[in-house]
C-alpha cells in the first residue's frame, strides 16, 4: 500500500520536496498571469473561472504522493506559495497564509489514511480537501464583497471540483508518470509502480 518505513525525512525527501515546491512556485506565478489574461473568457459568469484553480493546488497533493511523510503536502504547498509571492504574485504575501491553509487540507487527507494509502481515492480526497481550504480562504478573504448566491457559492464549489480533478487526479497521474520513468525509484512511489 505504499507504507513508509519511517516518518523521518531523509535528505533526498527534503531536496525533492523543495524542488517540487520551487518548480510549482514558478508555475503559480505564471498561472497568475494566465488567470488574469483569461478574465474576459469568463465574463459571462465570473465565478466559473474557478475551474482553473486546481493548478495552484497540485504541489500539496504531488508532494504527499511522492514523499509520503507527514508534513510533505503542507511543506510543498507553503513553499510554492512563498516562492510565487517572492516572484511578485499580484496577491502578495497573503498567498503564504493561503498556501499554508491549502497544504493543510491535503495533509489532513493523507493523515486520514494514516499515511499508508496513496492510491487514487487518497489523492482525490487530498485534492478535494486542499480545494476546500482554498475555497474557504477565498470565501472569507478575497470574495467577501461579492454576492453570495451568484458568485461566492458557485466559486467555492467549482474550486473544490477543480482541485479534486486537477490537483487530485492530476497529481496522481503525474506521480504514476514520473514513477514509470524511474525517477522516483528512491521513493515508495517509484518502488511500487504497479500499485501507484
Amino acid at each position: 500500500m505504499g507504507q513508509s518505513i519511517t516518518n523521518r525525512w531523509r535528505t533526498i525527501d527534503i531536496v525533492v520536496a523543495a524542488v517540487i515546491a520551487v518548480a510549482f512556485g514558478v508555475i503559480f506565478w505564471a498561472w497568475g498571469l494566465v488567470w488574469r489574461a483569461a478574465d474576459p473568457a469568463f465574463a459571462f459568469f465570473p465565478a466559473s473561472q474557478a475551474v482553473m484553480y486546481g493548478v495552484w493546488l497540485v504541489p500539496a497533493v504531488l508532494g504527499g504522493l511522492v514523499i509520503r511523510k507527514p508534513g510533505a503536502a503542507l511543506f510543498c504547498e507553503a513553499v510554492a506559495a512563498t516562492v510565487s509571492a517572492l516572484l511578485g504574485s499580484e496577491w502578495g504575501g497573503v498567498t503564504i497564509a493561503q498556501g499554508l491553509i491549502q497544504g493543510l487540507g491535503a495533509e489532513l487527507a493523507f493523515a486520514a489514511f494514516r499515511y499508508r494509502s496513496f492510491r487514487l481515492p487518497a489523492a482525490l480526497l487530498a485534492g478535494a480537501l486542499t480545494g476546500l481550504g482554498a475555497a474557504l480562504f477565498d470565501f472569507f478573504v478575497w470574495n467577501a464583497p461579492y454576492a453570495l448566491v451568484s458568485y461566492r457559492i458557485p466559486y467555492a464549489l467549482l474550486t473544490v471540483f477543480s482541485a479534486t480533478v486537477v490537483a487530485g487526479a492530476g497529481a496522481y497521474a503525474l506521480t504514476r508518470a514520473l514513477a514509470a520513468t524511474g525517477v522516483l525509484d528512491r521513493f515508495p512511489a517509484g518502488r511500487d509502480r504497479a500499485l501507484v
Side-chain angles (χ1 to χ4, degrees):
M1 279 230 185
Q3 182 174 345
S4 179
I5 304 276
T6 176
N7 287 335
R8 187 172 178 190
W9 284 51
R10 305 168 297 161
T11 302
I12 193 168
D13 296 329
I14 297 165
V15 170
V16 170
V19 168
I20 290 169
V22 171
F24 272 93
V26 174
I27 290 168
F28 284 5
W29 170 81
W31 196 245
L33 300 175
V34 171
W35 178 277
R36 200 49 62 217
D39 280 349
F42 295 96
F44 69 97
F45 181 43
S48 66
Q49 191 166 9
V51 299
M52 297 175 57
Y53 209 111
V55 171
W56 280 309
L57 307 171
V58 171
V61 182
L62 183 63
L65 292 173
V66 170
I67 307 299
R68 298 184 176 186
K69 304 226 169 120
L74 179 63
F75 175 86
C76 288
E77 190 70 25
V79 172
T82 302
V83 169
S84 74
L86 292 173
L87 290 174
S89 163
E90 74 174 91
W91 298 283
V94 175
T95 59
I96 297 168
Q98 190 163 12
L100 286 166
I101 290 168
Q102 292 165 178
L104 183 60
E107 200 67 51
L108 290 172
F110 292 119
F113 285 95
R114 299 180 58 209
Y115 298 95
R116 291 191 177 139
S117 177
F118 300 93
R119 295 177 186 263
L120 185 58
L124 292 174
L125 181 61
L129 290 182
T130 194
L132 181 61
L136 289 172
F137 188 92
D138 285 3
F139 193 89
F140 294 107
V141 175
W142 300 119
N143 297 337
Y146 298 104
L148 181 67
V149 175
S150 65
Y151 189 87
R152 291 168 73 193
I153 291 174
Y155 185 96
L157 293 173
L158 288 170
T159 297
V160 174
F161 172 77
S162 177
T164 303
V165 173
V166 177
Y172 179 79
L174 182 55
T175 302
R176 288 186 61 167
L178 289 170
T181 70
V183 300
L184 299 180
D185 283 352
R186 299 212 34 207
F187 295 89
R191 290 192 292 271
D192 58 22
R193 274 180 223 165
L195 301 175
V196 175

